[in-house]
Amino acid sequence: MTRILLVDDDTELTALLQEYLSDEGFGVATNTDGRAAVAAAVASSVDLIVLDIMMPAMNGIEVLQRIRRQSQVPVLMLTARGDDIDRIAGLNLGADDYVPKPCSTGELAARVRAILRRSGQPAGTAELAPIRAGRLVLDPGNRTAEWDGHLLDLTGTEFSLLEVLARKAGQLVSKQDISKQAFGKPLTPYDRRIDVHISSVRHKLGLRQDGQSRIQAVRGQGYQLLLD
Protein backbone atom coordinates (compact mmCIF):
# COMPACT_ATOMS: atom_id res chain seq x y z
CA MET A 1 0.00 0.00 0.00
CA THR A 2 1.28 3.45 -0.95
CA ARG A 3 2.10 5.46 2.19
CA ILE A 4 1.22 9.16 2.37
CA LEU A 5 2.05 11.62 5.14
CA LEU A 6 -0.20 14.69 5.51
CA VAL A 7 1.53 17.52 7.36
CA ASP A 8 -0.77 20.43 8.20
CA ASP A 9 -1.87 22.20 11.38
CA ASP A 10 -5.42 22.49 10.01
CA THR A 11 -6.68 19.37 11.76
CA GLU A 12 -10.20 19.55 10.31
CA LEU A 13 -8.96 19.62 6.71
CA THR A 14 -6.35 16.97 7.45
CA ALA A 15 -8.97 14.60 8.89
CA LEU A 16 -11.14 15.10 5.81
CA LEU A 17 -8.27 14.44 3.41
CA GLN A 18 -7.10 11.43 5.42
CA GLU A 19 -10.55 9.83 5.27
CA TYR A 20 -10.89 10.41 1.52
CA LEU A 21 -7.39 9.21 0.57
CA SER A 22 -7.79 6.14 2.80
CA ASP A 23 -11.01 5.29 0.96
CA GLU A 24 -9.06 5.63 -2.30
CA GLY A 25 -6.69 2.87 -1.24
CA PHE A 26 -3.78 4.77 0.31
CA GLY A 27 -2.17 4.31 3.71
CA VAL A 28 -2.37 7.76 5.30
CA ALA A 29 -0.70 9.19 8.40
CA THR A 30 -1.00 12.77 9.66
CA ASN A 31 1.11 15.19 11.66
CA THR A 32 1.05 18.89 12.51
CA ASP A 33 4.82 19.28 12.86
CA GLY A 34 7.03 19.85 9.82
CA ARG A 35 9.90 18.10 11.54
CA ALA A 36 7.94 14.85 11.24
CA ALA A 37 8.04 15.24 7.46
CA VAL A 38 11.82 15.61 7.49
CA ALA A 39 12.20 12.55 9.72
CA ALA A 40 9.87 10.48 7.52
CA ALA A 41 11.73 11.50 4.38
CA VAL A 42 15.11 10.63 5.84
CA ALA A 43 13.85 7.27 7.12
CA SER A 44 12.17 6.51 3.75
CA SER A 45 9.03 5.55 5.70
CA VAL A 46 6.59 7.24 3.30
CA ASP A 47 6.10 7.32 -0.48
CA LEU A 48 4.73 10.87 -0.72
CA ILE A 49 4.39 13.89 1.57
CA VAL A 50 1.57 16.43 1.39
CA LEU A 51 3.02 19.51 3.05
CA ASP A 52 1.31 22.75 4.03
CA ILE A 53 3.41 25.91 3.67
CA MET A 54 1.87 27.93 6.50
CA MET A 55 2.71 26.08 9.73
CA PRO A 56 3.95 27.18 13.16
CA ALA A 57 7.54 26.61 14.31
CA MET A 58 8.89 25.49 10.92
CA ASN A 59 7.14 26.56 7.71
CA GLY A 60 6.75 24.33 4.69
CA ILE A 61 9.45 26.03 2.63
CA GLU A 62 12.05 25.37 5.33
CA VAL A 63 10.80 21.80 5.72
CA LEU A 64 11.10 21.23 1.97
CA GLN A 65 14.66 22.60 1.98
CA ARG A 66 15.67 20.15 4.69
CA ILE A 67 13.95 17.25 2.92
CA ARG A 68 15.69 17.94 -0.38
CA ARG A 69 19.10 17.94 1.28
CA GLN A 70 18.60 14.28 2.17
CA SER A 71 15.75 12.78 0.13
CA GLN A 72 13.95 12.89 -3.21
CA VAL A 73 10.62 11.65 -1.80
CA PRO A 74 7.77 13.27 -3.78
CA VAL A 75 6.34 16.37 -2.07
CA LEU A 76 3.00 18.00 -2.86
CA MET A 77 2.72 21.50 -1.40
CA LEU A 78 -0.48 23.08 -0.08
CA THR A 79 -0.36 26.84 -0.66
CA ALA A 80 -2.59 29.81 0.03
CA ARG A 81 -4.79 30.51 -2.98
CA GLY A 82 -3.17 33.08 -5.26
CA ASP A 83 0.14 33.11 -3.38
CA ASP A 84 2.51 32.87 -6.35
CA ILE A 85 5.60 33.62 -4.27
CA ASP A 86 5.21 30.51 -2.10
CA ARG A 87 4.26 28.41 -5.13
CA ILE A 88 7.32 29.47 -7.12
CA ALA A 89 9.63 29.08 -4.12
CA GLY A 90 8.34 25.57 -3.48
CA LEU A 91 8.73 24.48 -7.09
CA ASN A 92 12.24 25.96 -7.28
CA LEU A 93 13.23 24.02 -4.16
CA GLY A 94 12.04 20.74 -5.65
CA ALA A 95 8.35 20.38 -4.84
CA ASP A 96 6.68 18.01 -7.30
CA ASP A 97 3.41 19.92 -7.49
CA TYR A 98 1.18 22.25 -5.49
CA VAL A 99 -2.52 22.61 -4.71
CA PRO A 100 -4.03 25.90 -3.51
CA LYS A 101 -6.12 25.82 -0.32
CA PRO A 102 -8.95 25.30 0.24
CA CYS A 103 -8.77 22.31 -2.08
CA SER A 104 -11.24 19.62 -3.02
CA THR A 105 -10.50 16.06 -2.02
CA GLY A 106 -10.91 14.93 -5.64
CA GLU A 107 -8.38 17.40 -6.99
CA LEU A 108 -5.84 16.53 -4.31
CA ALA A 109 -6.24 12.80 -5.00
CA ALA A 110 -5.79 13.38 -8.74
CA ARG A 111 -2.59 15.37 -8.15
CA VAL A 112 -1.29 12.70 -5.78
CA ARG A 113 -1.92 9.97 -8.37
CA ALA A 114 -0.20 11.98 -11.11
CA ILE A 115 2.91 12.44 -8.97
CA LEU A 116 2.99 8.76 -8.01
CA ARG A 117 2.64 7.68 -11.63
CA ARG A 118 5.58 9.90 -12.61
CA SER A 119 7.68 8.46 -9.80
CA GLY A 120 6.72 4.85 -10.62
CA GLN A 121 4.76 4.31 -7.40
CA PRO A 122 1.39 2.54 -7.10
CA ALA A 123 -1.32 5.16 -7.40
CA GLY A 124 -4.11 3.76 -5.25
CA THR A 125 -6.58 0.94 -5.72
CA ALA A 126 -9.30 3.19 -7.13
CA GLU A 127 -7.09 4.95 -9.68
CA LEU A 128 -8.57 3.37 -12.83
CA ALA A 129 -12.08 2.77 -11.57
CA PRO A 130 -14.55 4.96 -13.50
CA ILE A 131 -17.66 6.28 -11.80
CA ARG A 132 -20.78 5.36 -13.77
CA ALA A 133 -24.18 6.88 -13.10
CA GLY A 134 -26.53 6.10 -15.94
CA ARG A 135 -25.17 7.79 -19.05
CA LEU A 136 -22.68 9.78 -16.99
CA VAL A 137 -19.10 8.45 -16.75
CA LEU A 138 -16.41 10.16 -14.70
CA ASP A 139 -12.70 9.34 -14.76
CA PRO A 140 -11.26 10.47 -11.36
CA GLY A 141 -7.69 9.80 -12.46
CA ASN A 142 -7.81 12.15 -15.45
CA ARG A 143 -10.65 14.28 -14.03
CA THR A 144 -12.72 14.03 -17.19
CA ALA A 145 -16.46 13.47 -17.54
CA GLU A 146 -18.61 12.20 -20.39
CA TRP A 147 -22.36 12.31 -20.89
CA ASP A 148 -23.73 9.76 -23.32
CA GLY A 149 -20.24 9.41 -24.82
CA HIS A 150 -19.65 13.14 -25.25
CA LEU A 151 -16.98 14.97 -23.26
CA LEU A 152 -18.34 17.54 -20.81
CA ASP A 153 -16.52 20.86 -20.58
CA LEU A 154 -16.24 21.15 -16.79
CA THR A 155 -14.08 23.35 -14.63
CA GLY A 156 -12.06 21.67 -11.89
CA THR A 157 -14.56 22.77 -9.25
CA GLU A 158 -17.51 21.55 -11.32
CA PHE A 159 -15.88 18.15 -11.77
CA SER A 160 -15.28 17.85 -8.02
CA LEU A 161 -18.88 18.73 -7.27
CA LEU A 162 -20.28 16.35 -9.89
CA GLU A 163 -18.00 13.57 -8.63
CA VAL A 164 -19.47 13.90 -5.13
CA LEU A 165 -23.02 13.60 -6.50
CA ALA A 166 -22.17 10.80 -8.96
CA ARG A 167 -20.65 8.63 -6.25
CA LYS A 168 -24.07 8.69 -4.54
CA ALA A 169 -26.26 8.93 -7.62
CA GLY A 170 -29.96 8.77 -6.77
CA GLN A 171 -29.26 9.63 -3.14
CA LEU A 172 -29.56 12.93 -1.32
CA VAL A 173 -26.18 14.52 -0.52
CA SER A 174 -26.21 17.27 2.08
CA LYS A 175 -24.74 20.67 1.31
CA GLN A 176 -22.33 20.18 4.20
CA ASP A 177 -20.96 16.96 2.68
CA ILE A 178 -20.73 18.58 -0.76
CA SER A 179 -18.79 21.52 0.65
CA LYS A 180 -16.36 19.35 2.58
CA GLN A 181 -15.71 16.90 -0.26
CA ALA A 182 -15.82 19.24 -3.27
CA PHE A 183 -14.36 22.39 -1.73
CA GLY A 184 -12.31 20.99 1.15
CA LYS A 185 -13.98 23.14 3.81
CA PRO A 186 -17.14 23.13 5.94
CA LEU A 187 -20.18 25.02 4.71
CA THR A 188 -20.55 28.48 6.22
CA PRO A 189 -23.71 30.61 6.56
CA TYR A 190 -24.69 32.53 3.41
CA ASP A 191 -22.15 30.58 1.30
CA ARG A 192 -23.77 30.26 -2.14
CA ARG A 193 -20.87 28.71 -4.05
CA ILE A 194 -22.53 25.30 -4.22
CA ASP A 195 -25.70 26.75 -5.71
CA VAL A 196 -23.76 28.76 -8.29
CA HIS A 197 -21.70 25.78 -9.45
CA ILE A 198 -24.74 23.45 -9.41
CA SER A 199 -26.51 25.86 -11.77
CA SER A 200 -23.61 25.67 -14.22
CA VAL A 201 -23.38 21.86 -14.07
CA ARG A 202 -27.13 21.56 -14.57
CA HIS A 203 -26.86 23.58 -17.76
CA LYS A 204 -24.08 21.37 -19.08
CA LEU A 205 -25.93 18.14 -18.30
CA GLY A 206 -29.14 19.30 -19.94
CA LEU A 207 -32.67 18.25 -19.01
CA ARG A 208 -34.29 14.86 -18.55
CA GLN A 209 -36.97 13.69 -20.96
CA ASP A 210 -39.63 14.85 -18.49
CA GLY A 211 -38.17 18.37 -18.57
CA GLN A 212 -36.66 18.20 -15.07
CA SER A 213 -33.10 19.04 -14.20
CA ARG A 214 -30.79 16.04 -13.72
CA ILE A 215 -29.69 17.56 -10.40
CA GLN A 216 -32.59 18.05 -8.01
CA ALA A 217 -32.54 20.29 -4.95
CA VAL A 218 -34.17 19.29 -1.67
CA ARG A 219 -34.88 22.57 0.06
CA GLY A 220 -32.74 23.18 3.10
CA GLN A 221 -31.02 19.80 2.79
CA GLY A 222 -28.95 19.26 -0.32
CA TYR A 223 -28.90 17.87 -3.86
CA GLN A 224 -29.25 14.55 -5.65
CA LEU A 225 -28.22 13.40 -9.11
CA LEU A 226 -31.16 11.70 -10.84
CA LEU A 227 -30.59 8.72 -13.10
CA ASP A 228 -32.42 8.51 -16.45
Side-chain angles (χ1 to χ4, degrees):
M1 180 179 291
T2 302
R3 303 158 299 172
I4 297 175
L5 175 64
L6 301 176
V7 185
D8 194 334
D9 61 338
D10 184 341
T11 54
E12 186 172 23
L13 174 63
T14 301
L16 175 67
L17 297 177
Q18 181 182 31
E19 180 181 2
Y20 184 87
L21 290 173
S22 296
D23 289 343
E24 291 293 292
F26 298 106
V28 186
T30 66
N31 205 295
T32 59
D33 188 345
R35 287 168 291 196
V38 178
V42 173
S44 299
S45 60
V46 295
D47 301 302
L48 182 142
I49 296 172
V50 178
L51 177 64
D52 185 33
I53 285 185
M54 297 300 295
M55 291 189 298
M58 186 188 302
N59 67 44
I61 295 297
E62 184 179 354
V63 172
L64 179 60
Q65 283 181 307
R66 296 192 180 193
I67 289 175
R68 284 296 174 254
R69 289 172 190 159
Q70 306 175 74
S71 171
Q72 291 302 311
V73 63
V75 176
L76 174 65
M77 304 294 292
L78 297 178
T79 69
R81 187 170 297 277
D83 196 337
D84 290 339
I85 295 177
D86 282 343
R87 175 176 63 85
I88 293 170
L91 293 174
N92 284 339
L93 288 171
D96 294 85
D97 201 352
Y98 77 97
V99 174
K101 294 173 66 175
C103 60
S104 75
T105 52
E107 179 182 4
L108 181 71
R111 297 292 186 92
V112 165
R113 292 189 186 104
I115 293 173
L116 291 171
R117 283 196 296 267
R118 293 198 299 266
S119 63
Q121 298 283 349
T125 57
E127 178 194 6
L128 299 179
I131 302 168
R132 299 182 183 274
R135 288 183 284 165
L136 177 67
V137 180
L138 282 76
D139 181 346
N142 294 314
R143 292 180 68 77
T144 57
E146 293 183 359
W147 178 263
D148 207 15
H150 299 285
L151 191 66
L152 292 174
D153 183 17
L154 301 176
T155 66
T157 299
E158 290 169 355
F159 180 91
S160 296
L161 188 152
L162 187 56
E163 180 184 0
V164 173
L165 296 177
R167 287 185 181 277
K168 295 188 176 181
Q171 303 177 46
L172 176 66
V173 185
S174 72
K175 282 191 170 184
Q176 189 63 257
D177 285 344
I178 293 173
S179 184
K180 287 181 178 179
Q181 295 177 43
F183 302 138
K185 60 184 296 186
L187 185 69
T188 56
Y190 312 111
D191 187 342
R192 296 299 305 265
R193 287 184 306 162
I194 292 176
D195 306 304
V196 171
H197 290 299
I198 285 285
S199 177
S200 178
V201 175
R202 278 174 168 163
H203 176 73
K204 294 176 181 181
L205 287 177
L207 299 176
R208 290 159 48 97
Q209 290 185 352
D210 58 9
Q212 293 188 72
S213 168
R214 291 193 164 89
I215 299 178
Q216 290 289 304
V218 178
R219 187 174 179 83
Q221 298 185 54
Y223 291 94
Q224 60 181 339
L225 177 65
L226 300 181
L227 300 175
D228 286 330

